[in-house]
Amino acid sequence: MTDVARLAGVSHQTVSRVLNDHPNVREQTRLRVRAAIAELGYRPNRAARALVTGRSQLLGVVAQNSALYGPASLLAAFEGAAAEAGFAVSVGSVGSLDRASVSAAVERHLDQRVAGIVVIAPVASANEALDHLHSAVPLVTVDGDPARSTALVTVDQVSGARAATRFLLDAGHSTVWHVSGPTQWFDSAGRIAGWRAELERAGAEVPPVIAADWTAAAGYRAGQVLSRMPDVTAVFAANDHLALGVLRALSERGRSVPGDVSLIGFDDVPEAAYFTPPLTTVRQDFDAVGRATLSLLLSQITSGEPSSQRRTVAPELVVRDSVAPPPA
């Protein structure tokens, strides 16, 4: 910092103010200091800063090693929010969210002296692991068990599923079939609950759930069953990849979407707008989840007190071309 100050022709304190985005610095001075930082290749010493401020600028995340769109998007959104706030993120990927794996990942983060920990915990097996974490560690769970008392950020899966089901019913369909995600996932359970609640509210028949996983292959297998049932006119799939598989199976049986069967997915993956037809789906605001997660974590870090606050992010129904009235 002394070298930067000398090159920029300012004081050591001015360099510090620029690094901390202090408002009381003239823009011309700020640009001169930034130019000196770039020329010298200076990087702030986070460890030294932590010693001075008493607060680490490193946050830990525990997440299952997965390429699934939802968890991967949640992780990316949190990393982006943390970076904007001046924090680095250390990710501990685990093969499964069991007690031993999560505990080991948390211990590695604590060895790094992280200021707080986020656990992306979308499955029931994570509960036992979270039960054994030290209560003094600032902690937020994302997509976790709604019944837990720890700080939690999640998307309102129930309202998203209700909106999808209601849209199909309002289009004139007498009922809606559901292809679900894995039963151990909280997101899957929430979407089933919302679908069922909306059918019951409307006095519609509640068909049996067709259980699957999150893959297009599982959606294809479910679609092969549904395509053989002429009374099926509307399907709500628990994610867009399942919807893609259903779409393929219906097409192979000569049943068009939306002419014969209307179809809605969940997630709004980047490819959803380019399906044939473009897919109506439920969009999750992962950026909002990332910001809310960081906010809850920083409030615990600042106060030094654990929290049981909840932040629920509302999803949005994105209407495209895969829904129409049922065939006459």
Side-chain angles (χ1 to χ4, degrees), residues 68-75 97 118-124 126-127 130 140-148 151-157 184-188 191 214 266-267 284-286 289 293 311-313:
L68 289 171
Y69 179 74
S73 298
L74 287 171
L75 176 58
L97 290 167
V118 172
V119 180
I120 300 176
V123 295
N127 268 343
L130 295 172
V140 177
T141 58
V142 180
D143 252 10
D145 186 352
R148 291 191 62 82
L152 172 69
V153 180
T154 187
V155 173
D156 192 340
Q157 308 294 338
Q184 68 271 28
W185 283 64
F186 299 119
D187 287 359
S188 180
R191 293 168 199 177
W214 296 122
F266 207 108
D267 279 342
Q284 304 190 76
D285 190 344
F286 294 116
V289 172
T293 302
R311 299 282 178 86
T312 302
V313 176

mmCIF file of all heavy atoms in Angstrom, residues 68-75 97 118-124 126-127 130 140-148 151-157 184-188 191 214 266-267 284-286 289 293 311-313:
data_model
loop_
_atom_site.group_PDB
_atom_site.id
_atom_site.type_symbol
_atom_site.label_atom_id
_atom_site.label_comp_id
_atom_site.label_asym_id
_atom_site.label_seq_id
_atom_site.Cartn_x
_atom_site.Cartn_y
_atom_site.Cartn_z
ATOM 1 N N LEU A 68 -26.622 -30.560 -11.818
ATOM 2 C CA LEU A 68 -28.028 -30.210 -11.944
ATOM 3 C C LEU A 68 -28.189 -28.693 -11.985
ATOM 4 O O LEU A 68 -27.499 -27.959 -11.279
ATOM 5 C CB LEU A 68 -28.834 -30.788 -10.782
ATOM 6 C CG LEU A 68 -29.016 -32.314 -10.783
ATOM 7 C CD1 LEU A 68 -29.647 -32.767 -9.475
ATOM 8 C CD2 LEU A 68 -29.871 -32.750 -11.973
ATOM 9 N N TYR A 69 -29.125 -28.225 -12.786
ATOM 10 C CA TYR A 69 -29.274 -26.796 -13.045
ATOM 11 C C TYR A 69 -29.543 -26.005 -11.775
ATOM 12 O O TYR A 69 -28.927 -24.952 -11.552
ATOM 13 C CB TYR A 69 -30.403 -26.576 -14.052
ATOM 14 C CG TYR A 69 -30.649 -25.121 -14.366
ATOM 15 C CD1 TYR A 69 -29.774 -24.408 -15.173
ATOM 16 C CD2 TYR A 69 -31.757 -24.456 -13.840
ATOM 17 C CE1 TYR A 69 -29.989 -23.065 -15.462
ATOM 18 C CE2 TYR A 69 -31.981 -23.119 -14.127
ATOM 19 C CZ TYR A 69 -31.096 -22.428 -14.934
ATOM 20 O OH TYR A 69 -31.312 -21.101 -15.202
ATOM 21 N N GLY A 70 -30.458 -26.473 -10.921
ATOM 22 C CA GLY A 70 -30.828 -25.725 -9.725
ATOM 23 C C GLY A 70 -29.670 -25.504 -8.769
ATOM 24 O O GLY A 70 -29.296 -24.356 -8.477
ATOM 25 N N PRO A 71 -29.060 -26.572 -8.226
ATOM 26 C CA PRO A 71 -27.938 -26.394 -7.302
ATOM 27 C C PRO A 71 -26.766 -25.621 -7.904
ATOM 28 O O PRO A 71 -26.152 -24.789 -7.226
ATOM 29 C CB PRO A 71 -27.540 -27.832 -6.955
ATOM 30 C CG PRO A 71 -28.787 -28.627 -7.148
ATOM 31 C CD PRO A 71 -29.472 -27.984 -8.315
ATOM 32 N N ALA A 72 -26.446 -25.891 -9.170
ATOM 33 C CA ALA A 72 -25.332 -25.178 -9.809
ATOM 34 C C ALA A 72 -25.642 -23.686 -9.934
ATOM 35 O O ALA A 72 -24.772 -22.836 -9.721
ATOM 36 C CB ALA A 72 -25.053 -25.772 -11.186
ATOM 37 N N SER A 73 -26.891 -23.355 -10.237
ATOM 38 C CA SER A 73 -27.282 -21.950 -10.368
ATOM 39 C C SER A 73 -27.280 -21.254 -9.016
ATOM 40 O O SER A 73 -26.898 -20.084 -8.902
ATOM 41 C CB SER A 73 -28.665 -21.845 -11.012
ATOM 42 O OG SER A 73 -28.658 -22.395 -12.316
ATOM 43 N N LEU A 74 -27.707 -21.967 -7.968
ATOM 44 C CA LEU A 74 -27.676 -21.402 -6.621
ATOM 45 C C LEU A 74 -26.249 -21.052 -6.207
ATOM 46 O O LEU A 74 -25.990 -19.979 -5.662
ATOM 47 C CB LEU A 74 -28.285 -22.389 -5.626
ATOM 48 C CG LEU A 74 -29.797 -22.571 -5.674
ATOM 49 C CD1 LEU A 74 -30.208 -23.745 -4.789
ATOM 50 C CD2 LEU A 74 -30.509 -21.302 -5.233
ATOM 51 N N LEU A 75 -25.329 -21.971 -6.465
ATOM 52 C CA LEU A 75 -23.934 -21.744 -6.105
ATOM 53 C C LEU A 75 -23.363 -20.550 -6.854
ATOM 54 O O LEU A 75 -22.720 -19.666 -6.257
ATOM 55 C CB LEU A 75 -23.110 -23.001 -6.397
ATOM 56 C CG LEU A 75 -21.603 -22.903 -6.159
ATOM 57 C CD1 LEU A 75 -21.304 -22.513 -4.725
ATOM 58 C CD2 LEU A 75 -20.929 -24.235 -6.504
ATOM 59 N N LEU A 97 -24.673 -35.689 0.582
ATOM 60 C CA LEU A 97 -24.919 -34.825 1.732
ATOM 61 C C LEU A 97 -25.239 -35.642 2.979
ATOM 62 O O LEU A 97 -26.277 -35.474 3.620
ATOM 63 C CB LEU A 97 -26.064 -33.850 1.406
ATOM 64 C CG LEU A 97 -25.709 -32.779 0.378
ATOM 65 C CD1 LEU A 97 -26.953 -32.067 -0.112
ATOM 66 C CD2 LEU A 97 -24.720 -31.779 0.960
ATOM 67 N N VAL A 118 -22.323 -21.578 4.236
ATOM 68 C CA VAL A 118 -23.599 -21.843 3.567
ATOM 69 C C VAL A 118 -23.629 -23.306 3.169
ATOM 70 O O VAL A 118 -22.641 -23.822 2.623
ATOM 71 C CB VAL A 118 -23.753 -20.958 2.308
ATOM 72 C CG1 VAL A 118 -24.982 -21.372 1.505
ATOM 73 C CG2 VAL A 118 -23.828 -19.492 2.699
ATOM 74 N N VAL A 119 -24.729 -23.984 3.461
ATOM 75 C CA VAL A 119 -24.898 -25.362 3.037
ATOM 76 C C VAL A 119 -26.085 -25.427 2.081
ATOM 77 O O VAL A 119 -27.213 -25.084 2.461
ATOM 78 C CB VAL A 119 -25.136 -26.318 4.222
ATOM 79 C CG1 VAL A 119 -25.308 -27.754 3.722
ATOM 80 C CG2 VAL A 119 -23.984 -26.240 5.216
ATOM 81 N N ILE A 120 -25.824 -25.824 0.841
ATOM 82 C CA ILE A 120 -26.905 -26.057 -0.114
ATOM 83 C C ILE A 120 -27.400 -27.473 0.143
ATOM 84 O O ILE A 120 -26.726 -28.444 -0.178
ATOM 85 C CB ILE A 120 -26.423 -25.871 -1.561
ATOM 86 C CG1 ILE A 120 -25.897 -24.440 -1.752
ATOM 87 C CG2 ILE A 120 -27.545 -26.162 -2.554
ATOM 88 C CD1 ILE A 120 -25.303 -24.169 -3.122
ATOM 89 N N ALA A 121 -28.588 -27.560 0.768
ATOM 90 C CA ALA A 121 -29.039 -28.834 1.357
ATOM 91 C C ALA A 121 -30.413 -29.221 0.838
ATOM 92 O O ALA A 121 -31.400 -29.188 1.581
ATOM 93 C CB ALA A 121 -29.063 -28.705 2.876
ATOM 94 N N PRO A 122 -30.529 -29.605 -0.432
ATOM 95 C CA PRO A 122 -31.857 -29.855 -0.999
ATOM 96 C C PRO A 122 -32.444 -31.226 -0.696
ATOM 97 O O PRO A 122 -33.579 -31.503 -1.091
ATOM 98 C CB PRO A 122 -31.603 -29.710 -2.502
ATOM 99 C CG PRO A 122 -30.193 -30.167 -2.676
ATOM 100 C CD PRO A 122 -29.464 -29.730 -1.438
ATOM 101 N N VAL A 123 -31.690 -32.093 -0.019
ATOM 102 C CA VAL A 123 -32.172 -33.454 0.205
ATOM 103 C C VAL A 123 -32.268 -33.761 1.698
ATOM 104 O O VAL A 123 -31.582 -33.157 2.525
ATOM 105 C CB VAL A 123 -31.250 -34.490 -0.472
ATOM 106 C CG1 VAL A 123 -31.279 -34.320 -1.983
ATOM 107 C CG2 VAL A 123 -29.821 -34.375 0.029
ATOM 108 N N ALA A 124 -33.121 -34.729 2.036
ATOM 109 C CA ALA A 124 -33.402 -35.055 3.431
ATOM 110 C C ALA A 124 -32.177 -35.570 4.172
ATOM 111 O O ALA A 124 -32.049 -35.374 5.381
ATOM 112 C CB ALA A 124 -34.527 -36.083 3.495
ATOM 113 N N ALA A 126 -29.344 -34.446 4.354
ATOM 114 C CA ALA A 126 -28.520 -33.373 4.918
ATOM 115 C C ALA A 126 -28.929 -33.014 6.341
ATOM 116 O O ALA A 126 -28.152 -32.413 7.080
ATOM 117 C CB ALA A 126 -28.613 -32.136 4.037
ATOM 118 N N ASN A 127 -30.141 -33.382 6.747
ATOM 119 C CA ASN A 127 -30.632 -32.979 8.063
ATOM 120 C C ASN A 127 -29.752 -33.486 9.202
ATOM 121 O O ASN A 127 -29.422 -32.751 10.131
ATOM 122 C CB ASN A 127 -32.063 -33.465 8.267
ATOM 123 C CG ASN A 127 -33.083 -32.422 7.845
ATOM 124 O OD1 ASN A 127 -32.751 -31.253 7.698
ATOM 125 N ND2 ASN A 127 -34.306 -32.843 7.626
ATOM 126 N N LEU A 130 -26.572 -31.489 9.442
ATOM 127 C CA LEU A 130 -26.771 -30.141 9.981
ATOM 128 C C LEU A 130 -27.044 -30.163 11.476
ATOM 129 O O LEU A 130 -26.698 -29.220 12.196
ATOM 130 C CB LEU A 130 -27.925 -29.457 9.246
ATOM 131 C CG LEU A 130 -27.681 -29.178 7.759
ATOM 132 C CD1 LEU A 130 -28.954 -28.689 7.083
ATOM 133 C CD2 LEU A 130 -26.574 -28.157 7.579
ATOM 134 N N VAL A 140 -26.150 -20.599 7.116
ATOM 135 C CA VAL A 140 -27.413 -20.467 6.379
ATOM 136 C C VAL A 140 -27.549 -21.691 5.492
ATOM 137 O O VAL A 140 -26.596 -22.087 4.817
ATOM 138 C CB VAL A 140 -27.434 -19.186 5.515
ATOM 139 C CG1 VAL A 140 -28.731 -19.127 4.696
ATOM 140 C CG2 VAL A 140 -27.313 -17.949 6.384
ATOM 141 N N THR A 141 -28.727 -22.300 5.503
ATOM 142 C CA THR A 141 -28.997 -23.392 4.573
ATOM 143 C C THR A 141 -29.815 -22.846 3.409
ATOM 144 O O THR A 141 -30.655 -21.962 3.579
ATOM 145 C CB THR A 141 -29.741 -24.559 5.244
ATOM 146 O OG1 THR A 141 -30.970 -24.082 5.798
ATOM 147 C CG2 THR A 141 -28.902 -25.183 6.323
ATOM 148 N N VAL A 142 -29.552 -23.379 2.231
ATOM 149 C CA VAL A 142 -30.265 -22.972 1.019
ATOM 150 C C VAL A 142 -30.988 -24.182 0.471
ATOM 151 O O VAL A 142 -30.412 -25.276 0.377
ATOM 152 C CB VAL A 142 -29.294 -22.407 -0.034
ATOM 153 C CG1 VAL A 142 -30.057 -21.988 -1.286
ATOM 154 C CG2 VAL A 142 -28.522 -21.227 0.527
ATOM 155 N N ASP A 143 -32.277 -23.985 0.132
ATOM 156 C CA ASP A 143 -33.089 -25.081 -0.406
ATOM 157 C C ASP A 143 -33.217 -26.228 0.595
ATOM 158 O O ASP A 143 -33.357 -27.387 0.198
ATOM 159 C CB ASP A 143 -32.489 -25.609 -1.709
ATOM 160 C CG ASP A 143 -33.333 -25.210 -2.904
ATOM 161 O OD1 ASP A 143 -34.248 -24.392 -2.733
ATOM 162 O OD2 ASP A 143 -33.076 -25.716 -4.006
ATOM 163 N N GLY A 144 -33.136 -25.927 1.879
ATOM 164 C CA GLY A 144 -33.147 -26.968 2.897
ATOM 165 C C GLY A 144 -34.537 -27.321 3.380
ATOM 166 O O GLY A 144 -35.557 -26.936 2.802
ATOM 167 N N ASP A 145 -34.564 -28.035 4.493
ATOM 168 C CA ASP A 145 -35.799 -28.525 5.089
ATOM 169 C C ASP A 145 -36.581 -27.350 5.688
ATOM 170 O O ASP A 145 -36.100 -26.687 6.604
ATOM 171 C CB ASP A 145 -35.445 -29.550 6.172
ATOM 172 C CG ASP A 145 -36.674 -30.218 6.756
ATOM 173 O OD1 ASP A 145 -37.800 -29.790 6.443
ATOM 174 O OD2 ASP A 145 -36.500 -31.170 7.538
ATOM 175 N N PRO A 146 -37.802 -27.099 5.238
ATOM 176 C CA PRO A 146 -38.589 -25.988 5.804
ATOM 177 C C PRO A 146 -38.904 -26.176 7.282
ATOM 178 O O PRO A 146 -39.231 -25.195 7.958
ATOM 179 C CB PRO A 146 -39.880 -26.020 4.965
ATOM 180 C CG PRO A 146 -39.528 -26.762 3.720
ATOM 181 C CD PRO A 146 -38.485 -27.760 4.128
ATOM 182 N N ALA A 147 -38.793 -27.400 7.792
ATOM 183 C CA ALA A 147 -39.121 -27.657 9.200
ATOM 184 C C ALA A 147 -37.968 -27.336 10.141
ATOM 185 O O ALA A 147 -38.145 -27.330 11.359
ATOM 186 C CB ALA A 147 -39.535 -29.117 9.380
ATOM 187 N N ARG A 148 -36.771 -27.054 9.610
ATOM 188 C CA ARG A 148 -35.623 -26.780 10.466
ATOM 189 C C ARG A 148 -35.708 -25.390 11.082
ATOM 190 O O ARG A 148 -36.362 -24.491 10.546
ATOM 191 C CB ARG A 148 -34.312 -26.903 9.680
ATOM 192 C CG ARG A 148 -33.966 -28.317 9.254
ATOM 193 C CD ARG A 148 -32.537 -28.370 8.737
ATOM 194 N NE ARG A 148 -31.604 -27.991 9.790
ATOM 195 C CZ ARG A 148 -31.178 -28.813 10.737
ATOM 196 N NH1 ARG A 148 -31.589 -30.052 10.765
ATOM 197 N NH2 ARG A 148 -30.330 -28.395 11.652
ATOM 198 N N ALA A 151 -31.341 -20.692 9.978
ATOM 199 C CA ALA A 151 -31.591 -19.702 8.927
ATOM 200 C C ALA A 151 -31.708 -20.418 7.579
ATOM 201 O O ALA A 151 -30.896 -21.292 7.250
ATOM 202 C CB ALA A 151 -30.454 -18.690 8.894
ATOM 203 N N LEU A 152 -32.717 -20.042 6.817
ATOM 204 C CA LEU A 152 -33.021 -20.763 5.581
ATOM 205 C C LEU A 152 -33.433 -19.781 4.496
ATOM 206 O O LEU A 152 -34.196 -18.844 4.738
ATOM 207 C CB LEU A 152 -34.159 -21.762 5.821
ATOM 208 C CG LEU A 152 -34.741 -22.462 4.589
ATOM 209 C CD1 LEU A 152 -33.715 -23.437 3.995
ATOM 210 C CD2 LEU A 152 -36.023 -23.205 4.942
ATOM 211 N N VAL A 153 -32.928 -20.021 3.276
ATOM 212 C CA VAL A 153 -33.375 -19.285 2.098
ATOM 213 C C VAL A 153 -33.844 -20.309 1.080
ATOM 214 O O VAL A 153 -33.146 -21.295 0.807
ATOM 215 C CB VAL A 153 -32.254 -18.421 1.498
ATOM 216 C CG1 VAL A 153 -32.774 -17.674 0.257
ATOM 217 C CG2 VAL A 153 -31.727 -17.431 2.524
ATOM 218 N N THR A 154 -35.021 -20.085 0.537
ATOM 219 C CA THR A 154 -35.554 -21.047 -0.418
ATOM 220 C C THR A 154 -36.501 -20.355 -1.382
ATOM 221 O O THR A 154 -36.998 -19.260 -1.119
ATOM 222 C CB THR A 154 -36.297 -22.197 0.304
ATOM 223 O OG1 THR A 154 -36.670 -23.195 -0.645
ATOM 224 C CG2 THR A 154 -37.553 -21.680 0.999
ATOM 225 N N VAL A 155 -36.745 -21.000 -2.504
ATOM 226 C CA VAL A 155 -37.775 -20.554 -3.445
ATOM 227 C C VAL A 155 -39.092 -21.194 -3.016
ATOM 228 O O VAL A 155 -39.119 -22.330 -2.542
ATOM 229 C CB VAL A 155 -37.402 -20.967 -4.883
ATOM 230 C CG1 VAL A 155 -38.545 -20.668 -5.859
ATOM 231 C CG2 VAL A 155 -36.137 -20.248 -5.331
ATOM 232 N N ASP A 156 -40.181 -20.465 -3.181
ATOM 233 C CA ASP A 156 -41.497 -20.980 -2.804
ATOM 234 C C ASP A 156 -41.956 -22.000 -3.841
ATOM 235 O O ASP A 156 -42.645 -21.668 -4.817
ATOM 236 C CB ASP A 156 -42.500 -19.829 -2.693
ATOM 237 C CG ASP A 156 -43.808 -20.257 -2.035
ATOM 238 O OD1 ASP A 156 -44.094 -21.470 -2.008
ATOM 239 O OD2 ASP A 156 -44.535 -19.374 -1.550
ATOM 240 N N GLN A 157 -41.559 -23.245 -3.628
ATOM 241 C CA GLN A 157 -41.870 -24.310 -4.570
ATOM 242 C C GLN A 157 -43.371 -24.567 -4.650
ATOM 243 O O GLN A 157 -43.913 -24.867 -5.725
ATOM 244 C CB GLN A 157 -41.141 -25.594 -4.165
ATOM 245 C CG GLN A 157 -39.661 -25.441 -3.935
ATOM 246 C CD GLN A 157 -38.894 -25.086 -5.187
ATOM 247 O OE1 GLN A 157 -39.356 -25.323 -6.310
ATOM 248 N NE2 GLN A 157 -37.723 -24.504 -5.019
ATOM 249 N N GLN A 184 -36.842 -37.727 -2.152
ATOM 250 C CA GLN A 184 -36.050 -37.241 -1.019
ATOM 251 C C GLN A 184 -35.664 -35.775 -1.149
ATOM 252 O O GLN A 184 -35.062 -35.212 -0.246
ATOM 253 C CB GLN A 184 -34.795 -38.099 -0.826
ATOM 254 C CG GLN A 184 -33.747 -37.984 -1.916
ATOM 255 C CD GLN A 184 -33.961 -38.968 -3.045
ATOM 256 O OE1 GLN A 184 -35.085 -39.382 -3.310
ATOM 257 N NE2 GLN A 184 -32.865 -39.362 -3.704
ATOM 258 N N TRP A 185 -36.009 -35.137 -2.264
ATOM 259 C CA TRP A 185 -35.681 -33.727 -2.464
ATOM 260 C C TRP A 185 -36.812 -32.856 -1.943
ATOM 261 O O TRP A 185 -37.985 -33.079 -2.243
ATOM 262 C CB TRP A 185 -35.460 -33.429 -3.951
ATOM 263 C CG TRP A 185 -34.127 -33.877 -4.470
ATOM 264 C CD1 TRP A 185 -33.665 -35.155 -4.559
ATOM 265 C CD2 TRP A 185 -33.091 -33.034 -4.987
ATOM 266 N NE1 TRP A 185 -32.406 -35.165 -5.092
ATOM 267 C CE2 TRP A 185 -32.026 -33.887 -5.374
ATOM 268 C CE3 TRP A 185 -32.959 -31.668 -5.176
ATOM 269 C CZ2 TRP A 185 -30.844 -33.394 -5.918
ATOM 270 C CZ3 TRP A 185 -31.792 -31.167 -5.721
ATOM 271 C CH2 TRP A 185 -30.746 -32.026 -6.088
ATOM 272 N N PHE A 186 -36.454 -31.803 -1.169
ATOM 273 C CA PHE A 186 -37.467 -30.893 -0.638
ATOM 274 C C PHE A 186 -38.174 -30.145 -1.768
ATOM 275 O O PHE A 186 -39.384 -29.882 -1.683
ATOM 276 C CB PHE A 186 -36.833 -29.906 0.345
ATOM 277 C CG PHE A 186 -36.196 -30.576 1.528
ATOM 278 C CD1 PHE A 186 -34.843 -30.440 1.782
ATOM 279 C CD2 PHE A 186 -36.946 -31.359 2.389
ATOM 280 C CE1 PHE A 186 -34.247 -31.064 2.869
ATOM 281 C CE2 PHE A 186 -36.367 -31.984 3.486
ATOM 282 C CZ PHE A 186 -35.008 -31.837 3.720
ATOM 283 N N ASP A 187 -37.441 -29.771 -2.822
ATOM 284 C CA ASP A 187 -38.063 -29.093 -3.958
ATOM 285 C C ASP A 187 -39.151 -29.970 -4.574
ATOM 286 O O ASP A 187 -40.241 -29.489 -4.910
ATOM 287 C CB ASP A 187 -37.018 -28.770 -5.027
ATOM 288 C CG ASP A 187 -36.105 -27.626 -4.630
ATOM 289 O OD1 ASP A 187 -36.305 -27.067 -3.532
ATOM 290 O OD2 ASP A 187 -35.186 -27.302 -5.401
ATOM 291 N N SER A 188 -38.852 -31.237 -4.738
ATOM 292 C CA SER A 188 -39.811 -32.161 -5.325
ATOM 293 C C SER A 188 -41.059 -32.277 -4.454
ATOM 294 O O SER A 188 -42.194 -32.219 -4.958
ATOM 295 C CB SER A 188 -39.162 -33.539 -5.497
ATOM 296 O OG SER A 188 -40.073 -34.452 -6.060
ATOM 297 N N ARG A 191 -43.221 -29.156 -4.788
ATOM 298 C CA ARG A 191 -43.945 -29.072 -6.061
ATOM 299 C C ARG A 191 -45.116 -30.041 -6.098
ATOM 300 O O ARG A 191 -46.180 -29.727 -6.636
ATOM 301 C CB ARG A 191 -42.960 -29.300 -7.216
ATOM 302 C CG ARG A 191 -41.956 -28.172 -7.334
ATOM 303 C CD ARG A 191 -40.783 -28.462 -8.268
ATOM 304 N NE ARG A 191 -39.681 -27.541 -7.969
ATOM 305 C CZ ARG A 191 -38.496 -27.551 -8.554
ATOM 306 N NH1 ARG A 191 -38.230 -28.465 -9.495
ATOM 307 N NH2 ARG A 191 -37.562 -26.671 -8.212
ATOM 308 N N TRP A 214 -34.469 -36.278 -11.945
ATOM 309 C CA TRP A 214 -34.450 -34.961 -12.583
ATOM 310 C C TRP A 214 -34.025 -35.003 -14.053
ATOM 311 O O TRP A 214 -33.835 -33.956 -14.660
ATOM 312 C CB TRP A 214 -33.513 -34.035 -11.829
ATOM 313 C CG TRP A 214 -33.894 -33.702 -10.424
ATOM 314 C CD1 TRP A 214 -33.170 -33.919 -9.300
ATOM 315 C CD2 TRP A 214 -35.092 -33.040 -9.978
ATOM 316 N NE1 TRP A 214 -33.828 -33.451 -8.183
ATOM 317 C CE2 TRP A 214 -35.013 -32.909 -8.574
ATOM 318 C CE3 TRP A 214 -36.228 -32.552 -10.628
ATOM 319 C CZ2 TRP A 214 -36.023 -32.318 -7.818
ATOM 320 C CZ3 TRP A 214 -37.228 -31.964 -9.878
ATOM 321 C CH2 TRP A 214 -37.118 -31.842 -8.494
ATOM 322 N N PHE A 266 -40.448 -26.631 -14.995
ATOM 323 C CA PHE A 266 -40.058 -25.836 -13.825
ATOM 324 C C PHE A 266 -38.551 -25.585 -13.920
ATOM 325 O O PHE A 266 -37.796 -26.505 -14.213
ATOM 326 C CB PHE A 266 -40.360 -26.617 -12.537
ATOM 327 C CG PHE A 266 -40.616 -25.756 -11.319
ATOM 328 C CD1 PHE A 266 -41.879 -25.621 -10.774
ATOM 329 C CD2 PHE A 266 -39.582 -25.072 -10.696
ATOM 330 C CE1 PHE A 266 -42.128 -24.851 -9.652
ATOM 331 C CE2 PHE A 266 -39.800 -24.295 -9.582
ATOM 332 C CZ PHE A 266 -41.087 -24.185 -9.046
ATOM 333 N N ASP A 267 -38.124 -24.356 -13.668
ATOM 334 C CA ASP A 267 -36.722 -23.905 -13.628
ATOM 335 C C ASP A 267 -36.433 -22.817 -14.635
ATOM 336 O O ASP A 267 -35.656 -21.916 -14.369
ATOM 337 C CB ASP A 267 -35.696 -25.027 -13.851
ATOM 338 C CG ASP A 267 -35.432 -25.840 -12.602
ATOM 339 O OD1 ASP A 267 -35.757 -25.364 -11.504
ATOM 340 O OD2 ASP A 267 -34.922 -26.971 -12.728
ATOM 341 N N GLN A 284 -37.163 -19.697 -11.409
ATOM 342 C CA GLN A 284 -36.669 -19.425 -10.069
ATOM 343 C C GLN A 284 -35.633 -18.293 -10.141
ATOM 344 O O GLN A 284 -34.730 -18.336 -10.972
ATOM 345 C CB GLN A 284 -36.017 -20.674 -9.469
ATOM 346 C CG GLN A 284 -36.939 -21.888 -9.434
ATOM 347 C CD GLN A 284 -36.338 -23.011 -8.631
ATOM 348 O OE1 GLN A 284 -36.323 -22.978 -7.411
ATOM 349 N NE2 GLN A 284 -35.846 -24.034 -9.310
ATOM 350 N N ASP A 285 -35.768 -17.312 -9.260
ATOM 351 C CA ASP A 285 -34.857 -16.167 -9.254
ATOM 352 C C ASP A 285 -33.646 -16.508 -8.382
ATOM 353 O O ASP A 285 -33.596 -16.192 -7.200
ATOM 354 C CB ASP A 285 -35.577 -14.928 -8.722
ATOM 355 C CG ASP A 285 -34.754 -13.657 -8.912
ATOM 356 O OD1 ASP A 285 -33.536 -13.770 -9.160
ATOM 357 O OD2 ASP A 285 -35.326 -12.564 -8.799
ATOM 358 N N PHE A 286 -32.652 -17.161 -8.986
ATOM 359 C CA PHE A 286 -31.489 -17.599 -8.223
ATOM 360 C C PHE A 286 -30.649 -16.422 -7.738
ATOM 361 O O PHE A 286 -30.019 -16.503 -6.683
ATOM 362 C CB PHE A 286 -30.643 -18.557 -9.061
ATOM 363 C CG PHE A 286 -31.332 -19.854 -9.361
ATOM 364 C CD1 PHE A 286 -31.656 -20.203 -10.670
ATOM 365 C CD2 PHE A 286 -31.676 -20.729 -8.351
ATOM 366 C CE1 PHE A 286 -32.289 -21.406 -10.954
ATOM 367 C CE2 PHE A 286 -32.315 -21.937 -8.621
ATOM 368 C CZ PHE A 286 -32.626 -22.268 -9.929
ATOM 369 N N VAL A 289 -32.045 -15.365 -4.539
ATOM 370 C CA VAL A 289 -31.675 -16.339 -3.494
ATOM 371 C C VAL A 289 -30.251 -16.089 -3.020
ATOM 372 O O VAL A 289 -29.960 -16.105 -1.824
ATOM 373 C CB VAL A 289 -31.826 -17.783 -4.024
ATOM 374 C CG1 VAL A 289 -31.262 -18.790 -3.014
ATOM 375 C CG2 VAL A 289 -33.282 -18.097 -4.314
ATOM 376 N N THR A 293 -29.276 -15.015 0.778
ATOM 377 C CA THR A 293 -28.385 -15.893 1.541
ATOM 378 C C THR A 293 -27.227 -15.097 2.136
ATOM 379 O O THR A 293 -26.897 -15.239 3.315
ATOM 380 C CB THR A 293 -27.847 -17.018 0.637
ATOM 381 O OG1 THR A 293 -28.948 -17.757 0.105
ATOM 382 C CG2 THR A 293 -26.936 -17.953 1.417
ATOM 383 N N ARG A 311 -36.088 -16.562 4.514
ATOM 384 C CA ARG A 311 -36.311 -15.723 3.338
ATOM 385 C C ARG A 311 -36.856 -16.634 2.242
ATOM 386 O O ARG A 311 -36.195 -17.601 1.845
ATOM 387 C CB ARG A 311 -35.016 -15.059 2.868
ATOM 388 C CG ARG A 311 -34.371 -14.144 3.896
ATOM 389 C CD ARG A 311 -35.048 -12.802 3.982
ATOM 390 N NE ARG A 311 -34.427 -11.976 5.018
ATOM 391 C CZ ARG A 311 -33.358 -11.218 4.828
ATOM 392 N NH1 ARG A 311 -32.771 -11.196 3.644
ATOM 393 N NH2 ARG A 311 -32.866 -10.487 5.818
ATOM 394 N N THR A 312 -38.041 -16.325 1.773
ATOM 395 C CA THR A 312 -38.665 -17.122 0.721
ATOM 396 C C THR A 312 -38.783 -16.263 -0.525
ATOM 397 O O THR A 312 -39.355 -15.168 -0.484
ATOM 398 C CB THR A 312 -40.052 -17.624 1.151
ATOM 399 O OG1 THR A 312 -39.922 -18.391 2.350
ATOM 400 C CG2 THR A 312 -40.661 -18.506 0.077
ATOM 401 N N VAL A 313 -38.252 -16.757 -1.626
ATOM 402 C CA VAL A 313 -38.240 -16.026 -2.890
ATOM 403 C C VAL A 313 -39.373 -16.543 -3.771
ATOM 404 O O VAL A 313 -39.500 -17.763 -3.982
ATOM 405 C CB VAL A 313 -36.888 -16.183 -3.603
ATOM 406 C CG1 VAL A 313 -36.901 -15.496 -4.969
ATOM 407 C CG2 VAL A 313 -35.763 -15.628 -2.728
#
